[in-house]
Amino acid sequence: MNTNEVMEVLNFRHACKEFDATKKIDDKELNVVLEGGRLAASSMGIEPWKFIVVENHDLKEELSRVCFGGTKQISTCSHFVIYLSRTPKEIKSDSAYIDYILKDVKKLPEEVSSMMKGFMKSFEGTVLKDDKDMQSYANEQNYIALSSMMLSAAMLNIDSCVIGGMDKEALTKILVDRGLLDTDKFQVTVTCAFGYRKNEASPKLRQPMDEVVTWVK
Ligand SMILES: Cc1cc2nc3c(=O)[nH]c(=O)nc-3n(C[C@H](O)[C@H](O)[C@H](O)COP(=O)(O)O)c2cc1C
C-alpha cells in the first residue's frame, strides 16, 4: 500500500450511523476482519478477549433495544460484534488461562513460562493495584483489537461503528440468558457494528496535526 492508499483507508473509516440492511459481509472478508482482532497486539501477549459475532436478525434486534447509542446501526448492520474482556481472576499470573496461554498457545518451556508468571505477579498489587485496575487493563487490550478490526474492515471497504452507548447490565443479561457469556470469565467491554453504509459519510473534522502531535527531533 502506498501513502495515498493508507490515507484513503483512514478517511474511509467513520462512525457509520446507518447500514444498508440488504448487504451482507462475505464470510471470507468477515474472517479477515476477525483476524484483525485475533492478531492484534496485547500486553504481554495475553489476548484477554473474546469476540461474539452476531449475525442472527432476532438477536440483533433484541440487542439494539439495550444499546441506545446504536439502535439503528445494530438493526441494519451485517454483523454485530461484542467485545468481551477476561475478568481479573482469569488474567492473574496463577490462573489456568495464563497457564494455557504461556504453555499451549505460546509453547514456552517451563522455565520461561515460570519467569513470565513471576514478571506478571510483580505487576499484581503494584502497577495493577486491584481488580478494578486488572479489569481496566483487560479492557484496554480489547480496544486495540477493536481498532485493528475496524481498520482491517476499512481496507476491505467495510464500514463500522463503535457502540459504547449501551445498558451493559441489560446486554450482559441477554448474553447470559442465551448461554453466550460466562460472567465468571468474561465481561462486556464495547461493541461494534459492521456492514455497508447506506448514506455517504460526512467529511472528517479533526484538530490540526500540530495540536495533537509534539515533535522532538
Ligand atoms: C469508545 C467509543 C464509543 C463510541 N460509542 C458510540 C455510540 O454509542 N454510538 C455512535 O453512534 N458512535 C459511537 N462512537 C463513535 C464516535 O462518536 C466517533 O468515532 C467519533 O465521533 C469520531 O467520528 P468518526 O469515527 O466518524 O471519525 C464511539 C467511539 C468510541 C471510540
Side-chain angles (χ1 to χ4, degrees), residues 10-17 67-71 73 143 146 150 160-166 189-191 201-206:
L10 296 175
N11 279 303
F12 175 90
R13 191 220 54 79
H14 71 294
C16 179
K17 301 297 179 194
C67 297
F68 51 86
T71 314
Q73 294 92 321
Y143 284 95
L146 161 72
M150 285 196 292
S160 59
C161 185
V162 186
I163 294 146
M166 63 182 127
T189 301
V190 68
T191 68
S202 345
K204 272 199 187 291
L205 298 173
R206 289 294 194 270

